[in-house]
Amino acid sequence: MVHNASAIAREPQPPSPGSGPIAQLRGIRKTFPKASGGDLLVLDDINLDLNDGEIVCLLGRSGSGKSTMLRIIAGLLSPTSGEVLFEGRPVHGPAAGIGMVFQTFALFPWLTVLKNVELGLEALGLPADESRQRALAAVDLIGLDGFESAYPKELSGGMRQRVGFARATAIHPRLLLMDEAFSALDVLTAENLRSEFLQLWGDGSLPIRSVLMVTHNIEEAVLMGDRIVVLGINPGRITDIIPISLARPRDRFDPVLREMVDSVYGQMTARPIPLTRQPIPATLPIAERLPRAPVNRMAGFLATLANSPFDGRADLPDIDDLFNATQGEVFPLLEALHRFGLARLEAGDITLTDLGRRFVDSDLEGRKTIFRGQLLMQVPLASHIRSVLDTRPEQRAPLVRFRVELEDHLSEQDAEMTLRTVIDWGRYAELFAYDDDAEVFSLENPE
Amino acid sequence: MKRPPFDSLLAPAGAPLRIRPNRWDWIALPILLGVVVAVIQGARQMAGPLETVTQTPISLEPRSLPGYALLTTLRMFIAMAASLVFTFVYGAAAARSRRLERVLIPILDILQSVPVLGYLSFSVIFFMALFPGRALGMELVAIFAIFTSQAWNMAFSFYQSLRTIPEDLQEAARSFRLTGWLRFWRLDVPFAMPGLVWNIMMSMSGGWFFVVASEAISVGGQEVFLPGVGSYVAVAIARSDMTAIIYAITAMFVVIVLYDQLLFRPFVAWSSRFSVEQIEAERVPQSWMLLLFRQAQALRRLMQPVGAIGRRIITIGAPASDPSPPRTSRNEALRDIVWRLVVGIALVATSWALVDFLRDGIAWVDIRETVILGLFTLGRVVVLIAVASIIWVPVGVYVGRRPSLAEKVQPLIQILAAFPANLLFPFFVMAIVRYQLNPAIWLSPLMILGTQWYILFNVIAGTLAFPEDLNQASRNLGVRGWLWWKNVMLPGIFPYYVTGAITASGGSWNASIVAEIASWGDTTLVTRGLGAYIQQVTTLGDYPRIVLGIAVMSAYVVLFNRAVWRPLYAFAERRLRVG
């Protein structure tokens, strides 16, 4: 196909791995101040080279600091210690030559498609006609022609993200950063955009030398990456670097690729969730981060798992597909189910336990009884709240009392999320009541 | 993704430009030229010597009204331009600098609560000293009065918008290395636009009120009448000329309708593109004027160089130089301490100067008196807001539930809100005198005459925005009567109502200065209140007492806002915001 992207193309040669690092991370460590004083360690001892001609996927669960890491490379955040080198020079702020694509697209709603693409070129101080020409070339390349004068709100999500890509490539970046660039799109649109991007990358139409993309979608990482960098949680450390040497273009139904996905799932799920089946001793920390897993989603997941085609056992990628697309990240859900003993995670598979089967087969009261028992046993924070309420004569306790406890160990957002989760669980289990107006826990039934 | 070149959207280089005017141009161009000529005419008059102004008496002939109206309008727009510049500079400074923010925002809060006409007696001294013997000095006094009625809420809105720019847009701006200047025009100003438009609308509406009140200025016992509608009315009142008043009202009405159609409506329609909502709004504001200018082909071509110059201006300084290593935190802490010290010293010094100034002219009795007078005015404001709410909330809901009716009524309310209520005062005064009514009661409605419309306007907007599914759900459940008001409609519109009531209340305090004391020919009606007090001491030129009156009124406004409006607003935002 012929296109007038001459302004944007470098010498047409497919990127070849191994010709030296574009960016280097040296001992990156990042802490955020906690509300209760002290610092919260988010990233620790990150060392990574991004090489010429490769796509690196940064994989991790929410809270692993992968977005923070991306923003440090982008120069949007500065590391607490360590340094980032881009083309050999230290990064102190957004550097010329690094482009970024955002999960939320981050388009300027008052600018047309063309003006959005031109914005980065204006910032480069290019003369009007040159920036117009380059913007048009990028618009052409990314398949947006005809939409130049449209405003973002007239476009569908997929077209909006195309604008995001066109805007990032127009500035001729050597390094492209993608922050969950496909996760706000529906499955088909995401798939389409991914393969088009890979095609452009493969035939050398892009000026980009190296790509770093953050994702929580394992299949996406295996489909796109030359390497997968796995970030562990609390604090975020690189736990694994998995090279993916499959030939391109890759087929998502290729059995070799499926196996790869399976094994990455296995590695991801084996480590972070310890398989403790004994009742948790009272000494276990109250202030641990609870996964964002609303009860109704957990129940929905169990029902799906129990019925055909899964019949109690599922390959993670399969069930992930089903849930990820419509409802966001599935990991917190798996973590919660595993912890409640309702399902078991092993080597890329999830299996319904006997308790889980009983839960699915029970009526509402039965489910609540099972859930309450597990909640008291497995979630120290929930039993802690209950015992505080039991010991108080008025049977009431303000939210802030527990928030302070949590913030000694967690970041403000994590503490907030953990509280929201435990409130949801506790309300369902009828373990305690919570009044959001007064921000007070109690044992009363609501009036 | 790759397609053959498709560049028909862009005129290829070297292609002949189509500048043949179309039929829209024949309408748009004369309008544009007419405005330019009018502005030049008016400006020439404003720059003349003061004596021409003082020696040319205001003529009550109806044929001089168009000229007066033009000058009045011109003052409005100069003030609006000044307010915009102020807004951009002040708001951006407060939003971008943590240190400045701590000083600028409290100051703005105070400035906002100071009664507008309170500034007048001080700005007269200042501007006359600046331009002795020139009409320009007096003009600036009037313009400054309008400015003080417009600028604060605009600056506040701008600042608040800048503080709420979504994180992803900020990151995009940073990662694409926009210079601060480019970011200001491409991100800050557009994002703030919806809030700013609403505030400009309120400011303009308030402005008409104050332009009328500030054209007739007394300096050292001598009255100066700047040529304009306000002076025309002042002279008509002094001569008890009812016909002239009616002429003035007509002229003002025409001016406001023209302003609304030719300027404001196009502005609102144009600015609707700046809303950040990612879905297309169902109801996009329309303006025939904007359509006309958008379709005028030749005009657009003529304006193209302006756009190119604009682009060149906003890209000055690009590309940004590479960022330097961040400053150490110890350094920052030291700067913080120094800054606090400077602010502290400035605060002590100005307080000292103020106390020193007031000590000679004021006794404790005066303070007690003004506080008591303030209670009277406060009582009026509270009662008036309550009465206006009881009347306008049901009306607003009625209108809001009929979208086609609302579409017709809303522009009318905007015009009513913009219409300077002080032009109507003479009718009230005459009625009070003729029927021997109690001025303490019957002068009060004047305070809310111009500002009650904000309650109605917001209630209509709130009802229109009320989600249709909640409406259907309540109908399905058979919720009716008081239950419906209590659980469905009132909570639904409450956030909007509070916004409107805050505006109405602020406007009422401001209006009290002209509403608690009103005259018609030789008759002057006065009622006890802080507004009347400030007006009286201003006429006497008793500066310490002017300051005292203003300070007490500001204190009332600030306390009332803190004690009543803010908690209500916070509650509405937290609990009742739908969607």
Side-chain angles (χ1 to χ4, degrees):
Chain A
M1 252 184 282
V2 185
H3 55 86
N4 69 342
S6 55
I8 197 167
R10 59 188 162 87
E11 323 73 79
Q13 59 175 27
S16 55
S19 12
I22 296 286
Q24 294 160 282
L25 285 78
R26 292 279 165 267
I28 297 290
R29 181 186 162 85
K30 180 71 184 174
T31 59
F32 287 110
K34 275 189 294 194
S36 57
D39 286 325
L40 183 83
L41 184 59
V42 177
L43 287 174
D44 195 21
D45 192 31
I46 303 285
N47 291 288
L48 183 68
D49 282 1
L50 301 175
N51 297 318
D52 197 347
E54 72 170 346
I55 299 179
V56 174
C57 292
L58 198 53
L59 196 58
R61 299 191 285 145
S62 60
S64 61
K66 53 191 192 300
S67 276
T68 306
M69 185 168 150
L70 188 90
R71 276 163 178 72
I72 287 173
I73 301 171
L76 294 171
L77 287 175
S78 49
T80 310
S81 64
E83 68 171 350
V84 178
L85 299 177
F86 175 61
E87 295 178 333
R89 281 193 306 277
V91 168
H92 294 300
I98 300 183
M100 186 152 166
V101 180
F102 294 81
Q103 177 177 21
T104 52
F105 319 136
L107 302 179
F108 293 73
W110 43 85
L111 299 180
T112 61
V113 167
L114 193 61
K115 286 274 181 191
N116 260 295
V117 177
E118 262 189 273
L119 186 64
L121 302 170
E122 282 183 349
L124 286 176
L126 295 183
D129 42 348
E130 192 187 337
S131 92
R132 172 62 49 100
Q133 207 186 347
R134 252 167 82 165
L136 280 173
V139 160
D140 247 7
L141 188 72
I142 308 293
L144 278 166
D145 29 24
F147 289 92
E148 289 88 343
S149 56
Y151 285 96
K153 67 179 74 168
E154 301 173 62
L155 305 177
S156 65
M159 291 309 267
R160 282 182 204 170
Q161 192 58 301
R162 277 174 199 262
V163 182
F165 273 103
R167 184 174 66 177
T169 49
I171 61 166
H172 293 188
R174 272 89 70 198
L175 174 63
L176 183 69
L177 304 174
M178 296 187 206
D179 184 19
E180 307 249 11
F182 306 101
S183 71
L185 306 174
D186 65 82
V187 177
L188 288 178
T189 310
E191 172 65 22
N192 186 22
L193 205 53
R194 267 197 296 263
S195 61
E196 286 190 39
F197 176 80
L198 285 174
Q199 197 190 333
L200 291 177
W201 169 256
D203 67 17
S205 315
L206 297 171
I208 299 157
R209 309 292 312 175
S210 181
V211 176
L212 177 69
M213 55 180 288
V214 160
T215 180
H216 65 256
N217 182 334
I218 294 171
E219 191 186 74
E220 178 174 290
V222 176
L223 269 170
M224 296 193 72
D226 294 302
R227 279 192 294 162
I228 296 178
V229 174
V230 182
L231 268 191
I233 203 166
N234 282 340
R237 286 200 181 96
I238 295 179
T239 55
D240 260 315
I241 296 186
I242 307 166
I244 309 285
S245 46
L246 298 171
R248 298 176 191 273
R250 296 173 185 165
D251 174 10
R252 54 190 302 219
F253 300 109
D254 170 13
V256 185
L257 188 137
R258 303 306 306 169
E259 209 170 293
M260 194 88 215
V261 173
D262 258 14
S263 97
V264 177
Y265 261 104
Q267 292 182 52
M268 290 274 303
T269 48
R271 206 179 318 264
I273 309 170
L275 292 169
T276 44
R277 292 304 323 127
Q278 303 84 13
I280 291 172
T283 52
L284 239 161
I286 289 152
E288 55 170 342
R289 189 174 175 281
L290 294 179
R292 194 197 316 255
V295 175
N296 63 329
R297 282 200 66 197
M298 290 166 68
F301 189 95
L302 285 178
T304 312
L305 186 61
N307 294 319
S308 64
F310 301 115
D311 294 320
R313 182 185 192 87
D315 217 17
L316 271 181
D318 296 339
I319 203 154
D320 197 1
D321 259 3
L322 205 64
F323 267 75
N324 217 354
T326 50
Q327 316 204 14
E329 220 184 333
V330 80
F331 262 117
L333 213 53
L334 301 178
E335 193 183 332
L337 289 170
H338 184 88
R339 170 194 280 259
F340 277 84
L342 298 168
R344 200 179 357 258
L345 267 174
E346 263 160 348
D349 282 347
I350 183 152
T351 322
L352 199 64
T353 59
D354 292 343
L355 192 65
R357 173 70 65 189
R358 273 222 321 276
F359 181 90
V360 173
D361 291 341
S362 298
D363 63 356
L364 186 61
E365 272 315 307
R367 286 183 176 193
K368 286 193 175 206
T369 310
I370 294 172
F371 196 83
R372 181 161 51 231
Q374 293 305 99
L375 185 61
L376 276 169
M377 279 219 302
Q378 307 293 352
V379 182
L381 177 61
S383 50
H384 173 60
I385 293 175
R386 175 70 197 216
S387 65
V388 167
L389 291 173
D390 280 335
T391 52
R392 292 196 170 191
E394 74 278 27
Q395 301 194 320
R396 291 163 66 80
L399 176 78
V400 62
R401 183 197 178 289
F402 302 104
R403 181 184 285 148
V404 168
E405 272 181 292
L406 291 182
E407 282 178 356
D408 280 345
H409 304 278
L410 301 175
S411 74
E412 228 171 299
Q413 291 114 310
D414 282 353
E416 190 58 35
M417 196 195 74
T418 297
L419 283 169
R420 291 292 141 205
T421 301
V422 85
I423 287 170
D424 179 59
W425 290 351
R427 277 173 166 166
Y428 177 79
E430 296 178 34
L431 197 61
F432 45 73
Y434 174 69
D435 175 357
D436 193 41
D437 276 329
E439 302 206 321
V440 165
F441 287 102
S442 69
L443 293 182
E444 304 151 11
N445 286 319
E447 317 111 56
Chain B
M1 265 194 217
K2 283 172 282 177
R3 313 244 169 95
F6 180 68
D7 51 11
S8 64
L9 273 165
L10 190 79
L17 288 182
R18 206 176 86 97
I19 9 182
R20 205 151 36 90
N22 60 17
R23 63 198 159 116
W24 302 111
D25 282 305
W26 295 120
I27 313 172
L29 281 171
I31 292 179
L32 207 66
L33 285 177
V35 170
V36 171
V37 170
V39 168
I40 293 171
Q41 282 266 306
R44 192 181 289 159
Q45 192 157 354
M46 283 186 178
L50 185 57
E51 275 167 24
T52 6
V53 174
T54 46
Q55 284 167 9
T56 321
I58 295 293
S59 143
L60 292 186
E61 289 291 314
R63 69 187 147 80
S64 34
L65 261 173
Y68 288 157
L70 176 70
L71 286 168
T72 299
T73 313
L74 205 53
R75 280 181 201 114
M76 274 291 282
F77 283 104
I78 295 172
M80 178 46 73
S83 302
L84 264 180
V85 171
F86 173 83
T87 294
F88 285 160
V89 173
Y90 199 96
R96 283 197 183 173
S97 159
R98 192 171 43 88
R99 294 197 187 92
L100 284 177
E101 179 182 23
R102 268 189 243 138
V103 180
L104 293 183
I105 294 309
I107 290 180
L108 199 58
D109 212 22
I110 304 278
L111 284 175
Q112 227 180 167
S113 58
V114 172
V116 170
L117 295 172
Y119 292 107
L120 210 55
S121 38
F122 296 95
S123 53
V124 167
I125 303 176
F126 177 77
F127 286 111
M128 286 316 284
L130 210 57
F131 299 98
R134 311 294 300 176
L136 192 59
M138 291 311 288
E139 289 289 353
L140 286 178
V141 172
I143 290 166
F144 185 72
I146 309 163
F147 169 82
T148 53
S149 78
Q150 293 178 331
W152 319 136
N153 60 318
M154 285 166 57
F156 218 74
S157 143
F158 189 61
Y159 158 78
Q160 275 171 337
S161 295
L162 295 196
R163 290 297 308 273
T164 52
I165 295 179
E167 187 65 28
D168 61 341
L169 292 185
Q170 296 194 48
E171 283 190 337
R174 283 184 59 208
S175 77
F176 285 103
R177 295 163 43 96
L178 269 58
T179 57
W181 179 238
L182 182 58
R183 177 201 144 116
F184 182 75
W185 291 110
R186 283 285 188 244
L187 176 58
D188 295 353
V189 173
F191 180 79
M193 206 43 106
L196 205 52
V197 169
W198 166 250
N199 277 281
I200 287 176
M201 185 186 90
M202 292 205 303
S203 287
M204 286 298 270
S205 301
W208 294 113
F209 185 96
F210 291 106
V211 77
V212 169
S214 62
E215 281 176 348
I217 307 164
S218 64
V219 205
Q222 191 204 352
E223 286 269 317
V224 175
F225 292 101
L226 291 170
V229 179
S231 295
Y232 183 96
V233 173
V235 171
I237 287 174
R239 293 198 202 143
S240 322
D241 188 338
M242 188 46 86
T243 340
I245 295 276
I246 289 169
Y247 283 141
I249 288 174
T250 315
M252 206 63 227
F253 195 76
V254 170
V255 167
I256 287 175
V257 169
L258 283 178
Y259 145 77
D260 183 77
Q261 288 297 309
L262 297 186
L263 274 160
F264 196 71
R265 216 136 280 284
F267 180 55
V268 170
W270 168 80
S271 70
S272 65
R273 75 159 69 154
F274 296 110
S275 117
V276 267
E277 277 139 45
Q278 287 296 337
I279 39 163
E280 283 236 63
E282 278 176 45
R283 210 174 285 276
V284 181
Q286 299 291 338
S287 157
W288 59 266
M289 183 73 179
L290 184 67
L291 209 64
L292 193 150
F293 271 87
R294 279 187 171 157
Q295 289 178 343
Q297 191 86 26
L299 196 71
R300 284 185 72 139
R301 287 286 183 201
L302 285 178
M303 293 307 274
Q304 249 176 15
V306 179
I309 292 168
R311 185 191 185 278
R312 192 156 295 183
I313 289 172
I314 66 173
T315 51
I316 285 175
S321 48
D322 275 327
S324 47
R327 274 179 287 194
T328 60
S329 54
R330 226 181 74 213
N331 229 333
E332 283 288 286
L334 190 71
R335 281 158 194 262
D336 255 1
I337 293 169
V338 172
W339 177 247
R340 263 176 225 198
L341 220 64
V342 170
V343 172
I345 291 169
L347 201 65
V348 171
T350 44
S351 317
W352 182 255
L354 188 68
V355 170
D356 206 40
F357 175 69
L358 291 181
R359 213 169 30 190
D360 295 338
I362 284 174
W364 282 110
V365 200
D366 293 302
I367 298 179
R368 218 188 61 187
E369 191 196 352
T370 47
V371 170
I372 292 172
L373 287 175
L375 282 178
F376 278 92
T377 306
L378 174 69
R380 284 197 190 96
V381 172
V382 170
V383 171
L384 287 171
I385 296 286
V387 171
S389 304
I390 289 169
I391 296 173
W392 294 121
V393 168
V395 174
V397 170
Y398 178 89
V399 175
R401 283 168 65 76
R402 290 158 184 76
S404 57
L405 177 64
E407 217 163 292
K408 291 189 199 97
V409 170
Q410 262 175 329
L412 192 71
I413 301 169
Q414 261 167 8
I415 290 173
L416 282 176
F419 192 82
N422 27 5
L423 291 187
L424 304 176
F425 286 10
F427 296 109
F428 278 78
V429 178
M430 275 173 48
I432 292 171
V433 172
R434 178 165 306 165
Y435 300 108
Q436 305 209 316
L437 302 169
N438 182 357
I441 295 169
W442 292 102
L443 273 182
S444 309
L446 298 181
M447 286 166 59
I448 203 162
L449 210 55
T451 54
Q452 57 187 328
W453 309 114
Y454 293 115
I455 296 180
L456 177 59
F457 193 80
N458 277 284
V459 169
I460 293 179
T463 314
L464 281 173
F466 192 76
E468 186 51 33
D469 55 350
L470 292 187
N471 244 332
Q472 289 170 350
S474 65
R475 216 176 308 143
N476 176 251
L477 295 170
V479 183
R480 244 180 264 114
W482 174 238
L483 193 66
W484 181 80
W485 283 101
K486 190 174 123 245
N487 285 333
V488 181
M489 210 55 213
L490 291 182
I493 57 171
F494 193 71
Y496 292 84
Y497 165 76
V498 171
T499 309
I502 290 174
T503 316
S505 143
S508 301
W509 280 101
N510 261 324
S512 71
I513 295 182
V514 281
E516 287 181 340
I517 181 163
S519 56
W520 179 248
D522 301 327
T523 328
T524 301
L525 298 174
V526 190
T527 175
R528 267 170 76 80
L530 194 51
Y533 176 89
I534 293 175
Q535 182 71 281
Q536 282 163 330
V537 292
T538 302
T539 319
L540 293 173
D542 184 346
Y543 288 102
R545 286 200 172 77
I546 299 176
V547 174
L548 177 69
I550 292 172
V552 171
M553 188 176 277
S554 306
Y556 266 106
V557 174
V558 169
L559 288 177
F560 195 59
N561 280 347
R562 293 276 151 102
V564 180
W565 293 128
R566 275 211 199 157
L568 277 181
Y569 193 75
F571 170 75
E573 280 295 309
R574 200 177 64 242
R575 196 46 76 192
L576 301 177
R577 189 59 84 182
V578 183

